[in-house]
Each structure stands twice: as C-alpha cells, then as structure tokens.
Amino acid sequence: MNFDLEGKRRNIEKTLAQREDREEVYRALGDLAERMSRSRHDRDAPVREIMARLGDRWSPLILVILETGTYRYAELRRLVCILASEQNISQRMLTLRLRALERDGLVVRTVTPTVPPRTDYALTPLGQELQKLMNMLIGWISSHEADIEAARSRFERQDD
Amino acid sequence: MNFDLEGKRRNIEKTLAQREDREEVYRALGDLAERMSRSRHDRDAPVREIMARLGDRWSPLILVILETGTYRYAELRRLVCILASEQNISQRMLTLRLRALERDGLVVRTVTPTVPPRTDYALTPLGQELQKLMNMLIGWISSHEADIEAARSRFERQDD
DNA sequence: CTGAATCCGTTTTGATACTG
DNA sequence: CAGTATCAAAACGGATTCAG
C-alpha cells in the first residue's frame, strides 16, 4: 500500500489540466488564501465560521458587552436591545447566538440550577483574545468611516 | 475619583429598569460599544456594514485574491471558484459583492470600453489597509483552530 | 427566569437564460 | 467578456406559545 503523493499531485494537475489547480492557486495567492479554504472547504471551517459570527447581526454586540463583564441572560438581552436601537433581539436569536459562541469556545455559560434558574455568560480567555483583535478592527473601521462615506457618495453620484 | 465597577453595574441595572438610557450604557460599556451602534443605528453604519462584508460568503475570498494583484472579471471568478471548492460563485453574486466593495471604497473597478469589453478589479489603498487587518484576524483564527475544534467537540459531547 | 418549539414572513443567495 | 433579468430556493430572523 504505497502513497505516492507526487504522482497524486501530477494526477490532479492532469485532471484539472490548465485550469483549476488548487495548489497552483495557493502558491500564487499565498497562505492566506489557503487558510481561508483549507481542511474543510465548506463554511464550517473555523476561519469562515468565526468570521461569519463577527459579521452577523448580533454576535458582535454580544461580544462587546461580554467584554465588560459577566451578565445574566435577561441583563444581556436588555443591553443588546439598547445598543441595537434599530430593533430588539428576540429570545430565540439571543439563545442561538450564545449557543454558537459557546460552541466555538468563545463564551462560557454557567448554569445555577436554582428556582428560578440563573445563567451567567462570560467570555472565555479565547473569546477575550479574539475580542482584542475585533477591537482593533472596529477601531480601524470607525476611524475610516469618513473615507467610506465619501466613497459611498462618490459611488452614488456616478450611478446617476 | 474612585472607580467602583460593581456599583457602576448595579447602577446600570437600575437606570435601565426605568428608562433605557443609551448614553449610560455607552459610558458603562466603553466607546467600542458606541462605535458599533453610533451615528446611524441600523446596519448601514460603516462599522456594521464592513464587518458584515468580512463575514459574508464571498467577499473575504475576493479580498484575499485581489490582495495579490489586479484581475479581470472572469479571472477573478475562476479563482474564487477554485478557493471555494464547495461551490461556484454565480455571476450575479460576484457582481453584487464587487459592487458592494466598490461602493465602500475598498475596490476599484476600471472599465476599458473595447470590444469585447475589459474590466479590471483591484484593491484601493483603503482596501489594502483593511486587508492587512483581515490577515491578522485570519492568522489568529487559523492558529487557534485547534482550540476551536476542541471546544466544539466538548460542546457536542456535553450535548448528548 | 431561562429558555425550547413552532410557525411564518423577509432577506439573501443561486440557477438559468439573455444581451451589448 | 462582462454583465443583467427573472424566477426559485434556502437561510435568516421574529412573534408567539409553552415548559422546567
């Protein structure tokens, strides 16, 4: 049972011929591209999943709030609603987003089985690290808001 | 000037109970929270919009590719499809994402009205700056993939 | 209080065909 | 080549109801 990698690669190259050679593209585009699509190529890959979380409607707000401390479910919900004046987060969504963040190890959920029950949410160390990066990102974007708005109005004008 | 965090939090709870005072929450949660929801509170705010772009299905791939140079429409499409082996990007989606990135000033579109037409896409300086931050983020996430996967299997186990 | 379950509308995305 | 138009599918999000 031999495992001829090189032959395998030639095989791939042949199969995909001139066109779709992934490895070739990786070499051309660098490892960043590879990280985006490596290992599992669907959107469950951690890189894509986390980035999707950071871009969704509620998770960023939740993370920003949890960065400042530990909160109970209802407390957290109130704060999220205030930050997102646009609209209130539904219980359903809050639960879903928290579960997703917990699943990826960014948030811990501590249940105290009293009556009535009490559940506390907080960032894990991993979540805190990520949040630091997020803060840089948010900081950068908000310091370039003017550029972005300018680009937008330029774009709209040219559209007429 | 003392800095009674616990008291501050209790204070928040009280204020919120009566009337949801946004300014109070901003002070408690810091300017990051404010940046997330300031100025325009819907999702058109640059901060939210850009973060949504970075989290969507195609934009990150497009940005990673454009970071390496200037590409024509069809070229770009081919590369995106290779990176996203899961599925091919539709022309429609490619066009929509490129327009959105262009609108926010991250991408320039240069049309040469020959026959057949030629359109080139590239990052703007703003887009390149953002891409640097993105790379840090991608780098961090992919270097913590193991932690995330571990958290996931822990989560699944506990679920049974 | 902290959710889970269900139903349903909206938004986002995709497949396909067509065009200057 | 570089799109647009149209229709269909799927994901997302929300309101409501119920439960431990």
Side-chain angles (χ1 to χ4, degrees):
Chain A
M1 175 100 70
N2 68 351
F3 205 76
D4 181 8
L5 261 182
E6 187 49 34
K8 206 170 181 182
R9 238 203 64 211
R10 271 207 315 279
N11 197 4
I12 293 173
E13 275 183 79
K14 228 160 220 166
T15 309
L16 302 181
Q18 315 114 356
R19 289 184 207 157
E20 314 197 330
D21 187 351
R22 175 181 300 270
E23 296 305 320
E24 184 69 31
V25 173
Y26 284 164
R27 273 197 296 282
L29 296 181
D31 58 332
L32 263 306
E34 185 168 359
R35 282 183 183 147
M36 296 285 300
S37 63
R38 181 189 62 203
S39 70
R40 268 181 294 144
H41 296 104
D42 49 20
R43 281 177 298 169
D44 281 11
V47 171
R48 302 306 301 277
E49 181 87 359
I50 301 285
M51 284 171 50
R53 287 279 83 69
L54 298 187
D56 80 21
R57 186 172 188 173
W58 302 112
S59 306
L61 296 178
I62 294 172
L63 291 173
V64 165
I65 293 169
L66 287 183
E67 199 184 358
T68 68
T70 297
Y71 295 93
R72 298 183 59 176
Y73 184 85
E75 229 175 356
L76 192 51
R77 186 173 179 207
R78 260 205 319 279
L79 290 171
V80 171
C81 290
I82 294 171
L83 281 190
S85 64
E86 9 156 358
Q87 195 171 4
N88 290 350
I89 186 174
S90 62
Q91 290 187 331
R92 172 184 149 80
M93 278 302 116
L94 181 56
T95 302
L96 283 177
R97 293 293 86 115
L98 285 170
R99 286 292 188 283
L101 294 171
E102 189 192 357
R103 177 174 119 91
D104 286 343
L106 302 175
V107 160
V108 257
R109 175 163 163 267
T110 314
V111 182
T112 315
T114 53
V115 179
R118 174 195 180 93
T119 313
D120 289 291
Y121 291 92
L123 289 188
T124 61
L126 197 68
Q128 284 168 11
E129 268 192 67
L130 179 62
Q131 199 47 28
K132 288 206 191 85
L133 286 176
M134 271 298 289
N135 290 346
M136 292 185 45
L137 194 60
I138 295 173
W140 184 88
I141 300 172
S142 62
S143 73
H144 286 79
E145 272 188 345
D147 298 334
I148 295 166
E149 300 276 22
R152 286 186 185 182
S153 51
R154 224 177 301 127
F155 184 81
E156 307 300 344
R157 263 206 315 284
Q158 146 196 106
D159 218 36
D160 299 335
Chain B
M1 178 77 83
N2 65 353
F3 205 73
D4 179 8
L5 261 182
E6 187 47 34
K8 206 169 178 181
R9 248 200 57 208
R10 272 207 313 280
N11 196 3
I12 292 172
E13 280 182 73
K14 240 177 207 146
T15 310
L16 297 187
Q18 299 163 4
R19 37 186 221 93
E20 313 193 333
D21 187 352
R22 174 182 302 271
E23 295 306 321
E24 184 68 26
V25 173
Y26 284 164
R27 274 197 296 282
L29 296 181
D31 56 332
L32 263 307
E34 185 168 0
R35 282 182 182 147
M36 296 285 301
S37 62
R38 182 189 60 205
S39 70
R40 267 180 295 144
H41 296 104
D42 48 21
R43 281 178 297 170
D44 281 12
V47 171
R48 302 306 301 276
E49 181 87 0
I50 301 286
M51 283 171 51
R53 286 279 83 69
L54 299 187
D56 81 21
R57 186 173 189 172
W58 302 112
S59 306
L61 296 178
I62 294 171
L63 291 173
V64 165
I65 292 168
L66 287 183
E67 198 185 358
T68 68
T70 297
Y71 295 92
R72 300 181 60 174
Y73 184 87
E75 227 173 358
L76 192 51
R77 184 170 182 212
R78 200 174 56 81
L79 290 172
V80 171
C81 290
I82 295 171
L83 281 190
S85 62
E86 10 155 358
Q87 194 171 3
N88 290 350
I89 186 173
S90 61
Q91 289 188 328
R92 173 184 152 77
M93 276 302 114
L94 181 56
T95 301
L96 282 177
R97 293 294 83 116
L98 285 170
R99 287 291 190 284
L101 294 170
E102 188 192 358
R103 177 175 120 91
D104 286 342
L106 302 175
V107 159
V108 257
R109 173 161 164 271
T110 315
V111 182
T112 315
T114 53
V115 179
R118 173 194 181 95
T119 312
D120 288 292
Y121 290 92
L123 289 189
T124 61
L126 196 69
Q128 285 168 10
E129 267 191 68
L130 179 62
Q131 199 45 31
K132 287 205 191 87
L133 286 178
M134 272 298 291
N135 290 346
M136 291 185 45
L137 193 60
I138 296 173
W140 183 88
I141 299 172
S142 63
S143 74
H144 286 79
E145 272 188 345
D147 297 333
I148 295 166
E149 300 275 23
R152 285 187 185 181
S153 52
R154 226 177 300 128
F155 185 81
E156 307 299 345
R157 263 205 315 283
Q158 146 197 105
D159 218 33
D160 299 335

